[in-house]
Amino acid sequence: MPAEARPGDPTVTPALVADHGLSPDEYDQILGILGRVPTYTELGVFSAMWSEHCGYKNSRPLLRKLPTKAPWVLQGPGENAGVIDVGGGLAVAFKIESHNHPSAVEPYQGAATGVGGILRDVFTMGARPIACLNSLRFGEIDGAEGDRVRYLFAGVVKGIGDYGNCVGIPTVAGEVYFDGAYEGNPLVNAMAIGLMKREELIKGVAEGVGNPIMAVGSKTGRDGIHGATFASAELSAESEAKRPMVQVGDPFTEKLLLEASLELIRSGHIVGIQDMGAAGLVSSSTEMAARGGTGVDIEITRVPVREMGMTPYEILLSETQERMLVVAKNGHEDNVIGILARWDLDAETIGVVTDTGRYVVRENGIVVVDIPGEPLVDACPTYTRQGVEAPEIAELRRWDASTLEPRAEERDPTWTLRTLLDAPTIASKRWVYEQYDSTVRTSTVVGPGSDAAVIRLRGTNQAIAATVDCNGRYVYLNPYRGGQIAVAEAARNLACSGALPRAVTDNLNFGNPLKPEVYHQLSESLRGIGEACEAFRTPVTGGNVSLYNENPRGAIYPTPTIGMVGVVEDLAHVTTAAFKAPGDDLVLLGANTGELGGSEYLKIVHGLVAGDAPAVSLDGELALQTALLEAIRAGHVRSAHDCAEGGLAVALAESAIGAGPDGLGIDVDLADRLPANALLFGEAQGRVVVSCDPAKTAEVLRIAGAHGVPSACIGRVGERSGRVRIATRGGMVDAPVGELAAIYFDAIPRRMEGTAADVETSLESEVQ
Amino acid sequence: MKVGVVTFPGSNCDYDCHRAVQDGVEGAEAVYLWHKEHDLQGVDAVLLPGGFSYGDYLRCGAIAAHSPIMREVKAFADAGGPVAGICNGFQILCEAGLLPGALIRNRTLKFISRPAFLCVEQAEAPFTSAYAVGDVLTIPVAHGEGCYSADDATLDELEATGRVVFRYCDADGNVTAEANRNGSARGIAGIRNAAGNVLGLMPHPERAMDALLGSADGAGFFRSLAGHLAPT
């Protein structure tokens, strides 16, 4: 059945092939698969399916090395979302996905549609979304490009909020970093979590020859055509011209589609369902057929469209949002249409599952695409490249902390602490999360602002905890260690919240993998992530790869964001970062070191990005987390907070500030023989500050000792609205907690409120 | 007691309201009422939940106010039946003419999601009898258009006739500009109609049913209703 060129289609030339992001070698492979020259439509299909975004050309061989299995993993990588068993007959689906490129040119819609896409990935598994998280990176808010950064930041936050708030899914946690490395190429990673009964799990499979294939939801328009290919190239000055490739989201339709899809899945009238996400109808239909080992035959003129005159090429590659592809049971089409109609949505039969294994598309009966399905999905060429570390990175790692000249102001460590609390990366993100509805669905036990979010599972005494983490600067300085740290920190945050870490979804944000130094970052960080996931028994159940994150000035920091989900086995174990009561003892689990490499302190106070990422011992981390969980479960722990950016001093200050109206003071005495800057602000890994009733301190220390975890009582919680005092051998932090709180909470608002970007973005949704 | 929770397309707090009735009030039954229908299923009270009915298109609540079920809700309210609108439900009640005034964009031009302090000004059936005048409640708000607005004559009348039920306040119960984040006229968070059977409020009592989630101060709202409807 040879496909025919349509009248008016462009001739396939080497230039056209190159425009589609395909190399001459890849094009030769296409010629071999087809045994002829592809039609223009077929070229578009290959271009999308073999893009980095869909085909994982450069990452697949590396991803294969990640651990993906555990007894509680019900669905690993390869589906719309990963699924784990959380006990009590319940399962949790979760996944993370990037919308970096769209957000760089159109922050509001780029971020909004990122949320929409990840929600659909979760509810197409049969799970009702119960929480959203996000991980964001922007350039320097105070830098020369500050106006642009504020525009992107304000737009992304509003886009995420408006979409999730409208659909009614609480946004419960996230992280935001500001660094020049992300200037012009922000990162927007959205994660969603859904809950279902185990037996409600459904997959994106096209099974059953003769079963009808149905398009459901919004009508297809010309928006977002080639979004997947756009996302697979570097951003440039011309990227702005690609704004039309950014899709437009409609959360109201998403909400209807969510309810209709869950009703559909539970109705028994369908065998498979999948989001029409990146590369739209093409990727959803080919992937469903590939999973089912079947073929599909689609009549393109049956697809409901928004406008006249759309070509098969456009319909296949459109990324119009809020659409689903459904494989119904033969003869049940009217039931499907009935359910969708109840929610005022369209459903139309557009094709049929075949036994030919071929991907066939017709236009008024005339074949315009005819490709063997298996090679289209699976023969996407993959590349294992040779990574080479950039010599300047090795040089940075050799930086010697003893050469650091302290600034005069640093003689008062209180000045340094104030400076760090005012750094946007460390400062409170309240300005962000107050724009997100975090309490809808009435299950948010711990919302934004603690180490991890905790969501109760209604009808049980359990909860799940979730977090997203990655320090890209560590990965930049040492990709292997940086990868390990991202996983270790995520697991530590869950343990601090009282949860046992269970599984990971990862979002690999990197530069252009064709550059050996970027490929090195990718392969080495994945090696670190794999080893850490193995150590913490948190297999990777899926994720997303976003490469070509570059702007004219170079690549972003390598940023493999780790989304992690854990289980709190009893609601009584839920623990937060904030100190609870005056007089409680403060216990440090883990050891202080003299490390300063890669720290926020070096960057903010000295303008330096240098040194090695902090050392990490996976065994030590696991022992720490095991001890912490044991102490929490025994009821000894009132608060737990890990030491991350800004080190021990910032961790202590955050827990003091977070202690509710006016905060709580602290009185801490650190005996370590270390330079004050490293002791207070160094970012040694594997440390958690715990507060406990003094009657329980000995027991907490004993549990730590039994697991071989260094521990010490370092002080106690002071009075409400008291002073934050941290004494060291080289100077003392001493300030009223209220003063520190004001700095911490005002750092972002004072940089945002009343700026042009803030006002403009705030008005945006009015004119939609 | 049987309470109807209306589901409009885009409602997203219908489930939370349903659970609050079902779990929060001993022996209560909650039923969903579908926006396209005309049957109130013999309920004793109606809740219009929060969310983004019809995507907030046109104006918040404007399209929902004209949906088929609202004709029945109006008749039910006119006959004295208890009706409460929470968040988007409050917006719908204003659009439907069951309550005066309107909810416009927050003064900050941003969505505001946080726990708010509310001062109780009227402690009467059917919705607030379980509280005492002057009680300070902690109840979450989550809205982009929660700034209550009305002309001065209307506001004067609301105050003169005791129809302001809740105002935003600080932890000590002082009604301050700082506490009134969305910029509502005179700090108003909730009002009732002249007959007292229709209440609208922006904060979400159904999200404050359990200390585990931060506050159980909303439970009084549902207990009041149950007390009002209990057979005497």
Side-chain angles (χ1 to χ4, degrees):
Chain A
M1 223 173 358
E4 294 179 32
R6 299 173 69 254
D9 273 355
T11 311
V12 175
T13 61
L16 190 67
V17 171
D19 277 352
H20 279 74
L22 293 163
S23 72
D25 283 350
E26 288 164 357
Y27 183 64
D28 283 344
Q29 208 173 333
I30 292 169
L31 293 178
I33 289 168
L34 291 176
R36 59 178 167 78
V37 172
T39 64
Y40 174 61
T41 312
E42 288 170 332
L43 186 66
V45 169
F46 273 106
S47 156
M49 292 306 293
W50 287 12
S51 68
E52 187 66 48
H53 194 85
C54 294
Y56 299 97
K57 282 191 237 195
N58 289 289
S59 53
R60 204 171 345 184
L62 298 172
L63 293 173
R64 282 200 192 104
K65 294 177 187 161
L66 295 173
T68 59
K69 291 192 170 63
W72 53 88
V73 173
L74 301 178
Q75 176 63 57
E79 260 291 346
N80 290 316
V83 182
I84 59 168
D85 191 334
V86 293
L90 296 173
V92 162
F94 64 101
K95 191 168 178 209
I96 194 167
E97 189 156 281
S98 66
H99 251 215
N100 305 337
H101 282 61
S103 303
V105 296
E106 172 49 61
Y108 181 82
Q109 291 295 346
T113 54
V115 174
I118 199 64
L119 287 173
R120 289 192 295 282
D121 279 342
V122 161
F123 69 70
T124 48
M125 301 302 293
R128 176 173 284 278
I130 56 167
C132 287
L133 298 87
N134 55 74
S135 169
L136 311 177
R137 302 288 183 283
F138 301 95
E140 295 288 2
I141 225 174
D142 296 327
E145 307 260 322
D147 284 345
R148 177 78 184 168
V149 170
R150 281 189 287 271
Y151 162 72
L152 293 172
F153 176 42
V156 164
V157 169
K158 186 161 177 62
I160 289 171
D162 281 2
Y163 204 100
N165 296 349
C166 183
V167 182
I169 314 302
T171 299
V172 295
E175 49 162 16
V176 190
Y177 286 74
F178 299 89
D179 196 293
Y182 303 101
E183 220 134 80
N185 198 132
L187 302 185
V188 177
N189 295 176
M191 175 171 163
I193 303 174
L195 181 66
M196 68 183 122
K197 295 187 183 128
R198 272 190 64 155
E199 65 272 16
E200 287 166 344
L201 176 60
I202 186 171
K203 300 184 182 181
V205 186
E207 277 175 338
V209 172
N211 277 337
I213 298 169
M214 304 181 76
V216 161
S218 289
K219 292 179 168 59
T220 300
R222 285 192 164 102
D223 43 336
I225 292 173
H226 271 313
T229 316
F230 167 50
S232 304
E234 289 177 30
L235 290 166
S236 65
E238 289 80 51
S239 296
E240 200 72 18
K242 293 185 176 170
R243 260 171 94 140
M245 284 189 186
V246 178
Q247 314 85 334
V248 176
D250 176 5
F252 172 57
T253 303
E254 177 96 344
K255 168 67 175 166
L256 301 182
L257 193 59
L258 158 65
E259 299 300 335
S261 296
L262 291 178
E263 203 173 318
L264 205 54
I265 289 165
R266 278 147 210 187
S267 73
H269 294 302
I270 67 171
V271 298
I273 182 166
Q274 177 150 347
D275 173 33
M276 289 198 221
L281 179 55
V282 169
S283 71
S284 53
S285 55
T286 52
E287 285 171 12
M288 285 183 83
R291 293 190 198 114
T294 52
V296 296
D297 196 331
I298 290 169
E299 172 53 55
I300 203 78
T301 57
R302 303 284 305 269
V303 177
V305 290
R306 280 185 190 154
E307 46 193 312
M308 301 282 286
M310 287 184 69
T311 65
Y313 181 100
E314 290 171 323
I315 296 170
L316 284 168
L317 294 174
S318 161
E319 293 188 6
T320 295
Q321 298 289 289
E322 292 94 21
R323 297 179 302 160
M324 292 283 185
L325 195 68
V326 166
V327 176
K329 290 180 180 163
N330 200 0
H332 293 239
E333 294 89 327
D334 286 346
N335 304 85
V336 172
I337 291 166
I339 288 171
L340 271 294
R342 179 174 140 78
W343 293 98
D344 300 318
L345 294 170
D346 291 329
E348 185 69 52
T349 302
I350 64 166
V352 65
V353 178
T354 69
D355 60 2
T356 62
R358 298 187 77 83
Y359 186 67
V360 177
V361 179
R362 302 166 195 266
E363 184 185 31
N364 292 313
I366 298 166
V367 174
V368 292
V369 172
D370 183 4
I371 304 171
E374 192 267 321
L376 178 61
V377 176
D378 293 329
C380 171
T382 58
Y383 303 97
T384 304
R385 303 181 188 277
Q386 197 58 48
V388 180
E389 176 160 70
E392 61 269 24
I393 304 288
E395 184 59 38
L396 283 180
R397 260 203 312 273
R398 280 192 289 273
W399 174 81
D400 177 1
S402 67
T403 62
L404 187 70
E405 286 283 337
R407 287 170 57 160
E409 302 95 318
E410 285 186 72
R411 255 171 282 165
D412 176 12
T414 313
W415 173 86
T416 317
L417 178 60
R418 285 194 197 102
T419 305
L420 286 175
L421 291 174
D422 182 58
T425 293
I426 287 177
S428 167
K429 305 304 182 296
R430 189 166 74 180
W431 185 90
V432 174
Y433 62 71
E434 280 195 354
Q435 298 186 53
Y436 303 152
D437 188 341
S438 55
T439 51
V440 65
R441 296 202 59 74
T442 53
S443 286
T444 307
V445 181
V446 181
S450 199
D451 285 29
V454 179
I455 311 292
R456 71 168 167 190
L457 302 176
R458 232 187 250 273
T460 77
N461 198 32
Q462 289 191 324
I464 56 163
T467 180
V468 280
D469 291 287
C470 182
N471 182 319
R473 191 161 54 232
Y474 295 164
V475 187
Y476 171 72
L477 292 167
N478 186 333
Y480 171 67
R481 266 189 193 177
Q484 289 187 325
I485 291 173
V487 179
E489 188 186 350
R492 202 186 310 135
N493 281 331
L494 294 187
C496 284
S497 305
L500 179 67
R502 274 315 208 182
V504 159
T505 178
D506 60 345
N507 205 136
L508 307 175
N509 308 277
F510 287 82
N512 180 346
L514 307 183
K515 298 178 182 169
E517 64 275 19
V518 171
Y519 193 80
H520 172 83
Q521 295 171 334
L522 181 62
S523 62
E524 279 295 284
S525 62
L526 277 170
R527 186 165 71 88
I529 289 169
E531 286 181 14
C533 287
E534 203 73 74
F536 297 114
R537 299 196 72 204
T538 52
V540 177
T541 62
N544 172 247
V545 180
S546 172
L547 305 179
Y548 303 96
N549 286 292
E550 307 224 352
N551 58 50
R553 277 159 299 174
I556 57 160
Y557 282 158
T559 310
T561 308
I562 299 299
M564 194 181 280
V565 175
V567 176
V568 182
E569 66 180 25
D570 186 322
L571 288 170
H573 302 163
V574 173
T575 307
T576 63
F579 295 141
K580 300 296 183 298
D584 277 358
D585 273 346
L586 294 176
V587 174
L588 175 67
L589 303 177
N592 299 319
T593 72
E595 292 167 295
L596 274 175
S599 62
E600 194 69 14
Y601 159 82
L602 270 194
K603 185 199 151 188
I604 296 292
V605 177
H606 294 278
L608 263 181
V609 173
D612 201 344
V616 54
S617 151
L618 295 179
D619 290 343
E621 273 286 356
L622 188 61
L624 168 79
Q625 294 172 24
T626 308
L628 176 59
L629 265 182
E630 189 178 323
I632 287 175
R633 287 171 175 170
H636 301 327
V637 174
R638 287 231 173 101
S639 75
H641 185 27
D642 85 318
C643 298
E645 288 78 14
L648 180 58
V650 165
L652 287 165
E654 284 176 338
S655 293
I657 292 167
D662 309 323
L664 286 169
I666 52 169
D667 227 317
V668 170
D669 197 349
L670 300 174
D672 309 63
R673 295 178 179 278
L674 292 168
N677 58 357
L679 176 57
L680 290 168
F681 309 112
E683 298 176 10
Q685 294 298 294
R687 293 182 298 167
V688 170
V689 175
V690 161
S691 68
C692 57
D693 182 326
K696 303 289 178 62
T697 306
E699 192 51 17
V700 171
L701 296 171
R702 187 199 63 77
I703 292 171
H707 289 274
V709 176
S711 64
C713 184
I714 57 170
R716 74 176 56 81
V717 179
E719 293 306 310
R720 190 149 293 283
S721 66
R723 296 187 79 82
V724 168
R725 284 204 188 89
I726 311 172
T728 75
R729 288 161 181 269
M732 173 150 157
V733 170
D734 187 2
V737 63
E739 182 204 315
L740 299 179
I743 294 170
Y744 182 69
F745 286 120
D746 200 38
I748 292 180
R750 78 175 176 82
R751 290 170 166 94
M752 293 301 293
E753 276 166 13
T755 63
D758 184 37
V759 174
E760 190 184 318
T761 314
S762 299
L763 293 170
E764 185 153 10
S765 65
E766 292 247 82
V767 295
Q768 273 172 42
Chain B
M1 136 172 130
K2 186 172 173 184
V3 177
V5 178
V6 180
T7 301
F8 299 99
S11 293
N12 62 31
C13 303
D14 46 342
Y15 171 76
D16 296 339
C17 284
H18 191 278
R19 293 306 298 237
V21 171
Q22 204 85 17
D23 301 347
V25 183
E26 181 96 21
E29 181 196 359
V31 293
Y32 289 113
L33 303 175
W34 186 243
H35 67 106
K36 288 179 187 173
E37 285 165 10
H38 284 279
D39 181 6
L40 291 187
Q41 299 179 32
V43 297
D44 304 307
V46 173
L47 294 181
L48 304 183
F52 291 73
S53 58
Y54 293 92
D56 274 0
Y57 292 131
L58 189 56
R59 285 188 312 275
C60 303
I63 302 176
H66 294 280
S67 61
I69 194 81
M70 280 306 290
R71 205 180 304 165
E72 314 314 321
V73 172
K74 277 186 214 171
F76 179 77
D78 289 345
V83 175
I86 299 168
C87 199
N88 188 225
F90 185 11
Q91 295 164 342
I92 294 168
L93 288 174
C94 290
E95 286 287 344
L98 286 168
L99 290 174
L103 284 312
I104 62 172
R105 297 260 297 178
N106 296 343
R107 176 177 56 189
T108 57
L109 300 181
K110 286 188 180 60
F111 195 91
I112 299 173
S113 166
R114 61 196 292 269
F117 294 114
L118 296 186
C119 178
V120 178
E121 297 207 354
Q122 300 295 331
E124 286 174 25
F127 295 107
T128 55
S129 56
Y131 300 117
V133 171
D135 277 359
V136 176
L137 314 178
T138 302
I139 299 201
V141 295
H143 55 246
E145 308 195 21
C147 174
Y148 183 71
S149 172
D151 58 44
D152 281 337
T154 304
L155 295 169
D156 290 344
E157 193 199 331
L158 285 173
E159 290 185 332
T161 54
R163 290 169 58 191
V164 174
V165 182
F166 299 111
R167 281 186 225 252
Y168 301 105
C169 64
D170 65 17
D172 302 320
N174 305 306
V175 176
T176 64
E178 169 77 355
N180 178 16
R181 291 270 293 264
N182 62 28
S184 287
R186 305 186 191 178
I188 290 174
I191 56 168
R192 57 182 179 172
N193 66 351
N197 64 314
V198 177
L199 171 72
L201 74 169
M202 286 313 294
H204 288 273
E206 82 282 9
R207 298 188 190 183
M209 297 295 289
D210 191 338
L212 176 73
L213 306 186
S215 169
D217 290 351
F221 177 92
F222 296 90
R223 278 204 312 274
S224 301
L225 185 59
H228 175 70
L229 295 174
T232 46

